[in-house]
Amino acid sequence: NTRWTKLPGKAFDIGGNHNTLVHIGTGNNIYRYAGGGKWNLLPGNGKGKRVDVASDGNPWIVGTNNNVYVKRYNAP
């Protein structure tokens, strides 16, 4: 399929791997894709301006203060 599909929400940055998709939305809030067009706000009141997702599914964020943060869902 060569067509793009619009998902709900607005994003400034997005990152992901084969299992996890995360974006920085309006107000610099951080959301994780839940499937079916739904995004869930990540708990913890985190704010960011850049995001990427490691191979283990944990999102890495550059905060609005330029510090680096990781949300460990799949801790070793």
Side-chain angles (χ1 to χ4, degrees):
N1 188 347
T2 59
R3 296 173 48 178
W4 289 88
T5 301
K6 183 184 178 303
L7 294 175
K10 305 240 183 242
F12 297 107
D13 195 26
I14 194 164
N17 63 26
H18 61 280
N19 292 320
T20 305
L21 188 60
V22 177
H23 85 259
I24 305 292
T26 57
N28 297 98
N29 293 310
I30 305 164
Y31 297 87
R32 188 173 185 173
Y33 190 62
K38 183 175 175 167
W39 295 93
N40 290 333
L41 180 65
L42 289 183
N45 299 319
K47 301 281 185 183
K49 59 183 183 177
R50 298 289 311 270
V51 61
D52 204 351
V53 177
S55 61
D56 61 7
N58 293 318
W60 289 75
I61 306 296
V62 175
T64 55
N65 58 5
N66 293 320
N67 289 331
V68 177
Y69 301 90
V70 62
K71 186 75 148 172
R72 296 210 185 270
Y73 290 103
N74 306 308

